[in-house]
Short mmCIF file of all heavy atoms in Angstrom, two decimals:
data_model
loop_
_atom_site.label_atom_id
_atom_site.label_comp_id
_atom_site.label_asym_id
_atom_site.label_seq_id
_atom_site.Cartn_x
_atom_site.Cartn_y
_atom_site.Cartn_z
N ARG A 897 -2.19 100.31 65.41
CA ARG A 897 -1.46 99.23 66.14
C ARG A 897 -1.22 99.61 67.57
O ARG A 897 -0.78 100.69 67.85
CB ARG A 897 -0.17 98.91 65.42
CG ARG A 897 -0.34 98.35 64.03
CD ARG A 897 0.99 98.12 63.32
NE ARG A 897 1.65 99.40 63.02
CZ ARG A 897 2.78 99.52 62.37
NH1 ARG A 897 3.43 98.43 62.00
NH2 ARG A 897 3.31 100.69 62.13
N ALA A 898 -1.48 98.66 68.47
CA ALA A 898 -1.22 98.87 69.90
C ALA A 898 0.20 98.40 70.23
O ALA A 898 0.39 97.32 70.78
CB ALA A 898 -2.24 98.15 70.73
N ILE A 899 1.16 99.18 69.89
CA ILE A 899 2.57 98.87 70.16
C ILE A 899 3.07 99.86 71.23
O ILE A 899 2.96 101.07 71.08
CB ILE A 899 3.41 98.98 68.88
CG1 ILE A 899 2.94 97.94 67.86
CG2 ILE A 899 4.90 98.74 69.17
CD1 ILE A 899 3.64 97.98 66.53
N ALA A 900 3.68 99.34 72.24
CA ALA A 900 4.14 100.18 73.36
C ALA A 900 5.26 101.06 72.89
O ALA A 900 6.13 100.68 72.08
CB ALA A 900 4.60 99.29 74.52
N ALA A 901 5.27 102.27 73.43
CA ALA A 901 6.38 103.22 73.16
C ALA A 901 7.65 102.71 73.74
O ALA A 901 7.69 102.03 74.75
CB ALA A 901 6.02 104.58 73.70
N ALA A 902 8.74 103.06 73.08
CA ALA A 902 10.05 102.74 73.62
C ALA A 902 10.30 103.54 74.88
O ALA A 902 9.79 104.62 75.06
CB ALA A 902 11.14 103.04 72.58
N ALA A 903 11.11 102.98 75.78
CA ALA A 903 11.41 103.64 77.06
C ALA A 903 12.72 104.37 76.96
O ALA A 903 13.57 104.09 76.09
CB ALA A 903 11.46 102.60 78.17
N ASP A 904 12.91 105.31 77.86
CA ASP A 904 14.21 106.03 77.93
C ASP A 904 15.34 105.01 78.07
O ASP A 904 15.28 104.06 78.88
CB ASP A 904 14.24 106.98 79.14
CG ASP A 904 13.25 108.14 78.97
OD1 ASP A 904 12.57 108.19 77.94
OD2 ASP A 904 13.18 108.97 79.88
N GLY A 905 16.40 105.20 77.27
CA GLY A 905 17.50 104.29 77.29
C GLY A 905 17.43 103.15 76.29
O GLY A 905 18.44 102.48 76.02
N ASP A 906 16.23 102.94 75.70
CA ASP A 906 16.13 101.86 74.70
C ASP A 906 16.93 102.25 73.45
O ASP A 906 17.02 103.43 73.07
CB ASP A 906 14.70 101.66 74.29
CG ASP A 906 13.88 100.87 75.32
OD1 ASP A 906 14.50 100.39 76.30
OD2 ASP A 906 12.67 100.75 75.13
N ARG A 907 17.50 101.23 72.82
CA ARG A 907 18.23 101.46 71.57
C ARG A 907 17.62 100.63 70.47
O ARG A 907 17.64 99.38 70.52
CB ARG A 907 19.72 101.11 71.76
CG ARG A 907 20.57 101.32 70.50
CD ARG A 907 22.03 101.21 70.81
NE ARG A 907 22.49 102.30 71.63
CZ ARG A 907 23.76 102.42 72.06
NH1 ARG A 907 24.64 101.51 71.75
NH2 ARG A 907 24.09 103.45 72.84
N LEU A 908 17.01 101.29 69.50
CA LEU A 908 16.39 100.60 68.36
C LEU A 908 17.45 100.44 67.28
O LEU A 908 18.30 101.29 67.10
CB LEU A 908 15.19 101.40 67.84
CG LEU A 908 14.18 101.91 68.87
CD1 LEU A 908 13.04 102.65 68.16
CD2 LEU A 908 13.66 100.75 69.72
N THR A 909 17.36 99.36 66.57
CA THR A 909 18.35 99.05 65.53
C THR A 909 17.72 98.95 64.16
O THR A 909 16.57 98.56 64.04
CB THR A 909 19.16 97.78 65.86
OG1 THR A 909 18.25 96.68 65.88
CG2 THR A 909 19.87 97.92 67.15
N GLY A 910 18.51 99.28 63.15
CA GLY A 910 18.04 99.16 61.76
C GLY A 910 19.22 99.04 60.87
O GLY A 910 20.30 98.57 61.29
N VAL A 911 19.09 99.45 59.64
CA VAL A 911 20.17 99.37 58.64
C VAL A 911 20.89 100.70 58.60
O VAL A 911 20.28 101.79 58.45
CB VAL A 911 19.59 99.06 57.24
CG1 VAL A 911 20.71 99.05 56.18
CG2 VAL A 911 18.85 97.72 57.25
N ALA A 912 22.21 100.66 58.78
CA ALA A 912 23.02 101.89 58.71
C ALA A 912 23.11 102.38 57.28
O ALA A 912 23.67 101.66 56.43
CB ALA A 912 24.43 101.58 59.27
N CYS A 913 22.56 103.51 57.00
CA CYS A 913 22.43 103.99 55.60
C CYS A 913 23.15 105.24 55.26
O CYS A 913 23.49 105.47 54.09
CB CYS A 913 20.92 104.13 55.26
SG CYS A 913 20.01 102.56 55.24
N SER A 914 23.35 106.12 56.26
CA SER A 914 24.07 107.39 55.97
C SER A 914 24.77 107.76 57.24
O SER A 914 24.10 107.83 58.30
CB SER A 914 23.09 108.47 55.51
OG SER A 914 23.79 109.66 55.23
N PRO A 915 26.08 108.03 57.21
CA PRO A 915 26.84 108.24 58.42
C PRO A 915 26.55 109.55 59.10
O PRO A 915 25.98 110.52 58.52
CB PRO A 915 28.26 108.18 57.94
CG PRO A 915 28.24 108.62 56.55
CD PRO A 915 26.92 108.14 56.01
N GLY A 916 26.91 109.65 60.37
CA GLY A 916 26.71 110.82 61.17
C GLY A 916 25.94 110.52 62.43
O GLY A 916 25.20 109.53 62.47
N GLN A 917 26.11 111.35 63.43
CA GLN A 917 25.39 111.18 64.68
C GLN A 917 24.84 112.52 65.13
O GLN A 917 25.55 113.52 65.18
CB GLN A 917 26.35 110.63 65.75
CG GLN A 917 25.65 110.30 67.08
CD GLN A 917 26.61 109.74 68.12
OE1 GLN A 917 27.11 110.48 68.97
NE2 GLN A 917 26.90 108.47 67.99
N VAL A 918 23.54 112.56 65.37
CA VAL A 918 22.87 113.77 65.80
C VAL A 918 21.86 113.48 66.90
O VAL A 918 21.40 112.35 67.06
CB VAL A 918 22.12 114.49 64.64
CG1 VAL A 918 23.09 114.87 63.55
CG2 VAL A 918 21.00 113.63 64.13
N THR A 919 21.57 114.52 67.66
CA THR A 919 20.55 114.44 68.73
C THR A 919 19.48 115.46 68.41
O THR A 919 19.76 116.58 68.02
CB THR A 919 21.15 114.73 70.10
OG1 THR A 919 22.13 113.74 70.39
CG2 THR A 919 20.07 114.71 71.18
N GLY A 920 18.20 115.05 68.50
CA GLY A 920 17.10 115.96 68.19
C GLY A 920 15.78 115.36 68.57
O GLY A 920 15.69 114.19 69.00
N ARG A 921 14.73 116.16 68.47
CA ARG A 921 13.39 115.74 68.78
C ARG A 921 12.76 115.00 67.60
O ARG A 921 12.88 115.44 66.49
CB ARG A 921 12.50 116.93 69.16
CG ARG A 921 12.90 117.61 70.46
CD ARG A 921 12.50 116.79 71.64
NE ARG A 921 12.92 117.43 72.92
CZ ARG A 921 12.79 116.86 74.12
NH1 ARG A 921 12.20 115.67 74.19
NH2 ARG A 921 13.22 117.46 75.21
N ALA A 922 12.04 113.93 67.87
CA ALA A 922 11.37 113.17 66.86
C ALA A 922 10.13 113.88 66.37
O ALA A 922 9.37 114.43 67.17
CB ALA A 922 10.98 111.78 67.38
N ARG A 923 9.94 113.87 65.05
CA ARG A 923 8.72 114.34 64.47
C ARG A 923 8.17 113.24 63.53
O ARG A 923 8.81 112.89 62.54
CB ARG A 923 8.94 115.64 63.64
CG ARG A 923 9.28 116.82 64.50
CD ARG A 923 8.12 117.26 65.38
NE ARG A 923 8.54 118.29 66.33
CZ ARG A 923 8.38 118.19 67.66
NH1 ARG A 923 7.82 117.07 68.15
NH2 ARG A 923 8.80 119.14 68.43
N ILE A 924 7.01 112.71 63.89
CA ILE A 924 6.41 111.67 63.10
C ILE A 924 5.63 112.35 61.94
O ILE A 924 4.64 113.06 62.17
CB ILE A 924 5.42 110.82 63.94
CG1 ILE A 924 6.09 110.39 65.26
CG2 ILE A 924 4.94 109.63 63.14
CD1 ILE A 924 7.32 109.52 65.09
N ILE A 925 6.06 112.13 60.73
CA ILE A 925 5.47 112.72 59.54
C ILE A 925 5.03 111.57 58.60
O ILE A 925 5.89 110.76 58.22
CB ILE A 925 6.41 113.65 58.79
CG1 ILE A 925 6.99 114.74 59.74
CG2 ILE A 925 5.71 114.30 57.59
CD1 ILE A 925 5.96 115.71 60.25
N LEU A 926 3.77 111.52 58.21
CA LEU A 926 3.31 110.45 57.37
C LEU A 926 2.92 110.92 55.96
O LEU A 926 2.63 110.13 55.11
CB LEU A 926 2.12 109.75 58.03
CG LEU A 926 2.41 109.13 59.38
CD1 LEU A 926 1.17 108.46 59.95
CD2 LEU A 926 3.55 108.09 59.28
N ASP A 927 2.88 112.25 55.76
CA ASP A 927 2.49 112.82 54.46
C ASP A 927 3.42 113.98 54.19
O ASP A 927 3.41 115.00 54.91
CB ASP A 927 1.01 113.28 54.51
CG ASP A 927 0.54 113.83 53.19
OD1 ASP A 927 1.38 114.00 52.26
OD2 ASP A 927 -0.65 114.10 53.06
N PRO A 928 4.25 113.92 53.10
CA PRO A 928 5.16 114.98 52.84
C PRO A 928 4.53 116.32 52.49
O PRO A 928 5.15 117.36 52.61
CB PRO A 928 6.00 114.44 51.66
CG PRO A 928 5.09 113.47 50.99
CD PRO A 928 4.29 112.86 52.11
N SER A 929 3.28 116.27 52.02
CA SER A 929 2.60 117.53 51.70
C SER A 929 2.05 118.23 52.93
O SER A 929 1.53 119.33 52.85
CB SER A 929 1.46 117.26 50.72
OG SER A 929 0.45 116.46 51.33
N ASP A 930 2.18 117.57 54.10
CA ASP A 930 1.73 118.16 55.36
C ASP A 930 2.83 117.97 56.38
O ASP A 930 2.73 117.15 57.29
CB ASP A 930 0.44 117.46 55.83
CG ASP A 930 -0.12 118.08 57.10
OD1 ASP A 930 0.27 119.21 57.43
OD2 ASP A 930 -0.95 117.41 57.78
N PRO A 931 3.96 118.74 56.25
CA PRO A 931 5.07 118.56 57.14
C PRO A 931 4.84 118.98 58.58
O PRO A 931 5.60 118.66 59.48
CB PRO A 931 6.20 119.41 56.51
CG PRO A 931 5.46 120.43 55.65
CD PRO A 931 4.21 119.75 55.20
N GLY A 932 3.70 119.65 58.81
CA GLY A 932 3.27 119.93 60.18
C GLY A 932 4.33 120.68 60.97
O GLY A 932 4.79 121.74 60.63
N ALA A 933 4.67 120.02 62.10
CA ALA A 933 5.52 120.71 63.09
C ALA A 933 7.01 120.53 62.86
O ALA A 933 7.81 120.83 63.70
CB ALA A 933 5.14 120.22 64.49
N LEU A 934 7.37 119.93 61.73
CA LEU A 934 8.81 119.69 61.48
C LEU A 934 9.57 121.00 61.45
O LEU A 934 9.28 121.87 60.68
CB LEU A 934 9.01 118.92 60.16
CG LEU A 934 10.42 118.49 59.84
CD1 LEU A 934 10.87 117.41 60.79
CD2 LEU A 934 10.55 118.05 58.41
N GLU A 935 10.57 121.10 62.32
CA GLU A 935 11.39 122.31 62.44
C GLU A 935 12.87 121.93 62.20
O GLU A 935 13.24 120.76 62.30
CB GLU A 935 11.25 122.90 63.85
CG GLU A 935 9.86 123.38 64.18
CD GLU A 935 9.53 124.72 63.50
OE1 GLU A 935 10.46 125.40 63.04
OE2 GLU A 935 8.34 125.08 63.44
#
């Protein structure tokens, strides 16, 4: 899909499912048997 990346400052919304607030680097993982660079 040709969907543009979000820009700095953008706020994406979804369903609030588990409380807490953290800051970290995104890791796109599509297969749990290949966690790749997830740290």
Side-chain angles (χ1 to χ4, degrees):
R897 294 176 292 182
I899 298 177
D904 292 0
D906 283 354
R907 180 169 293 178
L908 312 183
T909 60
V911 177
C913 292
S914 181
Q917 185 179 97
V918 300
T919 297
R921 293 285 177 186
R923 290 293 172 237
I924 312 298
I925 307 293
L926 301 179
D927 182 352
S929 66
D930 183 19
L934 185 69
E935 296 283 344

